[in-house]
Structure formats: structure tokens, C-alpha cells
Amino acid sequence: MALVPAAHGPVFAEVDMGVDSSAPTVVRATVVQASTVFYDTPATLDKAERLLAEAAGYGAQLVVFPEAFVGGYPRGSNFGVTIGNRTAKGKEEFRKYHASAIDVPGPEVDRLAAMAGKCKVYLVMGVIERDGYTLYCTILFFDSQGCYLGKHRKVMPTALERIIWGFGDGSTIPVFETPIGKLGAAICWENRMPLLRTAMYAKGVEIYCAPTADSREIWQASMTHIALEGGCFVLSANQFCRRKDYPPPPEYVFSGTEEDLTPDSVVCAGGSVIISPSGTVLAGPNYDGEALISADLDLGEIARAKFDFDVVGHYSRPEVLSLIVRDHPTQPVTFTSKVEKTDGPHK
């Protein structure tokens, strides 16, 4: 399918493979497949606003953006790290990456909330969150009235991601009950963590968002499995990036592959997809370029799927297998003076 932006029209063509909108209790959902403007957060927010408005123009009620869309996914970079050593250039790369991240709450969050309210859509946005000098790969949730609902921090960064991102705890695994369904999200390979998925199923997730950076075809198998396992809709959004979407060398280097790349080389091929609770692919996967990928979600499909298999209901065996989720915030430092002010004076 060809996706060529019109010269004087929408930024991207919409790829529409949804079901009949006359079906009962239908939610129009769009996943955005587009690249960050790397090291330029204001420009990335401008791009997000254009894409959100365009999706809303197509009737979207829910719009999901890729992992790390605001702040950027530093594909190909090793930040100058080898065991026992970190280079001066790598430290400077981290400084620039840190500067591109956003505070939560903060002005960029306020702007994203305003976008959602203006377009009257529910928004699920991948960001790099800055908390002091630690970064987190985070998903932010906004409602159609322009209110910030909350966040999910990635609980387990993958491989070299662990040198730049902190680890989320159990306090940010939310599922939000909304008029369009119960929304939750897991990021990239944490979708392969069975216990995390089970925690989300136990919270009743109905529209399972899976922002990712994995464009391999095998990713589709995981997304289909989650839809069937959870009896939920799965919306996976990935970036589509070419080498020219990142700064040129020597400012930014794709370690080990730079010499083989041209400006037009695809470094992330997308694969964004929408899948029903029965495992039917409603839209995508798309590997052709930047696009808005949309489908109509018939929420009645959830009950029909759960009749077959309810992983935390009639198909569970809690007397044999059970899960405990430690969902309180974890803090490295606790000051007793704050506790005493809360509890009152000790006698």
C-alpha cells in the first residue's frame, strides 16, 4: 500500500482497514507511525500536534503514538559505553539526550493535554521522562477533555537501554476506566513479560496499547498472542525512521552499521498494527512509511472473546497459580521528619 503525503493536503494518508462503523459500541482508534525530530523536542511536539489533528479529522477517538516519540529512541547509539569505561563523547551524547527529555508534570505535558482537549481525543503518548538526572521510557495518558490521567514507566529496559533509562516500579502500571473502554499500556519487550501482562489483565484492560521500537515481523506474533490471551484489542505503534531522521555523523553515529547506511536507509520499518480480541488483524501491519493506521473497535468483541477464554476469570486457577503485585512506589531515600509530620509527635 502506497503512503505518499499529499503536497497540499494531509501530512499522511490514512490506512483504513476497520470494520463497519454501524457495529454497536464502536470506538475509532488510530496508531501513529512516524519518526521523532531527534534532539528537537519543540519540533517533535509540533509534529505530534499536526498528526493528532489529522487523526481527529478522520474521526479518531483514541490516538496512540510510538515508544519514545517525544525525546526520541536513540537507535544505533551506544553512548560510548564499554565494560569499565564511558567516553567523553558518550557522556555528551547523554547530556543532549537528557536535555531532549521532558519533566512530568511540566510544560510539555501541559501542551500535550491541550492538544488532546483541542482535538477531543484520548491520547496515549510515548515520551522520555526526566526525573532529576535519571531518564525513564514512559507512556502518558490524556483524556478527550484535555486532562492528564497518569503514566506508565517501562519496568524493564532492554539490553543497552538499561544504561540510559531507569526502571519503573509497580506504582505505574495503570489501567484507566474511560467512556471508550479501559486503557492500559506496556512498552516494547515488557510486553513479553507474562506476569506484567497478567497484572494488566487483572485490572481489566480492554484496549491494550503497545508502543514499541521492534519492527521485526516476529513482533506481530506477540501482538496477536496478547490479543487472544487478554481478550482485548491490541494497538501497537512504532516509528518509521530513515537514517536522515537522525542527526548526521559525526554528531550521531549508528554504531557498527554507519558505513553501510545512506540518508534514505530505513533504520526502523514500523510494523504498526491493530488487532481484535479474536486475533483478527484490523489494520496493518504497515512497513511502507509514515502513516496513520486506523480501525473501528467493536467493543462487543471483548465479551465474545472472554466467553472462550478469560485468563483472570473462569480460565484461572488461583488455588494453584496466583500473582502478587507490589504496586506501591519505591523510594531510595525516606526522611523520617516527613513521616513524623504525617503521623504526629511520638511520645
Side-chain angles (χ1 to χ4, degrees), residues 250-322:
E251 180 184 7
Y252 192 101
V253 175
F254 277 70
S255 180
T257 61
E258 187 65 60
E259 61 278 5
D260 299 324
L261 299 175
T262 69
D264 287 324
S265 294
V266 175
V267 295
C268 182
S272 301
V273 70
I274 300 175
I275 301 176
S276 81
S278 67
T280 301
V281 175
L282 301 179
N286 181 289
Y287 298 101
D288 297 330
E290 293 195 328
L292 302 176
I293 300 160
S294 297
D296 293 331
L297 314 183
D298 172 9
L299 300 186
E301 282 293 314
I302 297 169
R304 290 189 280 272
K306 297 281 192 181
F307 178 63
D308 286 341
F309 184 83
D310 185 354
V311 67
V312 290
H314 63 77
Y315 221 94
S316 64
R317 287 291 305 277
E319 76 280 15
V320 180
L321 302 167
S322 61

Side-chain angles (χ1 to χ4, degrees), residues 156-167 189:
M156 177 53 71
T158 299
L160 277 180
E161 292 174 357
R162 297 173 198 166
I163 69 172
I164 53 169
W165 296 341
F167 293 62
W189 275 22

Side-chain angles (χ1 to χ4, degrees), residues 4-292:
V4 181
H8 299 289
V11 180
F12 304 134
E14 184 194 43
V15 183
D16 183 3
M17 298 168 63
V19 299
D20 185 354
S21 61
S22 64
T25 321
V26 170
V27 173
R28 182 74 168 172
T30 296
V31 293
V32 174
Q33 181 164 290
S35 67
T36 302
V37 184
F38 209 81
Y39 287 154
D40 193 338
T41 297
T44 298
L45 289 170
D46 289 344
K47 184 173 184 177
E49 187 166 17
R50 293 194 302 271
L51 294 171
L52 193 63
E54 188 174 338
Y58 285 119
Q61 297 162 273
L62 168 66
V63 181
V64 181
F65 278 76
E67 176 181 12
F69 185 78
V70 177
Y73 187 82
R75 187 175 301 278
S77 179
N78 61 18
F79 287 86
V81 171
T82 55
I83 299 298
N85 186 58
R86 288 152 299 283
T87 66
K89 184 178 184 296
K91 291 180 180 181
E92 174 60 14
E93 287 177 4
F94 180 78
R95 183 201 65 77
K96 293 171 70 174
Y97 191 53
H98 178 272
S100 298
I102 66 172
D103 296 325
V104 180
E108 293 85 2
V109 177
D110 293 342
R111 182 175 176 190
L112 289 167
M115 291 179 199
K118 180 180 179 181
C119 293
K120 295 181 172 54
V121 299
Y122 284 81
L123 171 61
V124 178
M125 176 62 74
V127 307
I128 300 304
E129 176 191 358
R130 179 175 55 223
D131 187 353
Y133 290 93
T134 296
L135 303 180
Y136 295 92
C137 184
T138 297
I139 297 298
L140 305 181
F141 298 84
F142 303 88
D143 71 13
S144 59
Q145 303 303 307
C147 295
Y148 167 62
L149 298 176
K151 68 185 178 184
H152 165 61
R153 284 177 171 175
K154 193 173 189 177
V155 299
M156 177 53 71
T158 299
L160 277 180
E161 292 174 357
R162 297 173 198 166
I163 69 172
I164 53 169
W165 296 341
F167 293 62
D169 62 31
S171 69
T172 66
I173 311 175
V175 171
F176 298 100
E177 188 162 358
T178 77
I180 64 167
K182 296 177 181 177
L183 301 177
I187 306 169
C188 206
W189 275 22
E190 66 177 3
N191 285 286
R192 296 169 63 175
M193 300 172 71
L195 300 185
L196 176 63
R197 298 198 307 270
T198 301
M200 292 178 62
Y201 301 151
K203 291 188 174 186
V205 65
E206 295 172 333
I207 301 177
Y208 185 118
C209 303
T212 188
D214 191 341
S215 61
R216 299 172 306 157
E217 289 188 16
I218 196 67
W219 178 252
Q220 304 301 318
S222 290
M223 297 298 94
T224 301
H225 174 77
I226 291 169
L228 288 169
E229 179 182 66
C232 53
F233 290 95
V234 173
L235 282 60
S236 183
N238 193 8
Q239 298 193 32
F240 183 94
C241 305
R242 299 184 185 274
R243 176 62 186 88
K244 63 187 177 185
D245 293 317
Y246 287 80
E251 180 184 7
Y252 192 101
V253 175
F254 277 70
S255 180
T257 61
E258 187 65 60
E259 61 278 5
D260 299 324
L261 299 175
T262 69
D264 287 324
S265 294
V266 175
V267 295
C268 182
S272 301
V273 70
I274 300 175
I275 301 176
S276 81
S278 67
T280 301
V281 175
L282 301 179
N286 181 289
Y287 298 101
D288 297 330
E290 293 195 328
L292 302 176

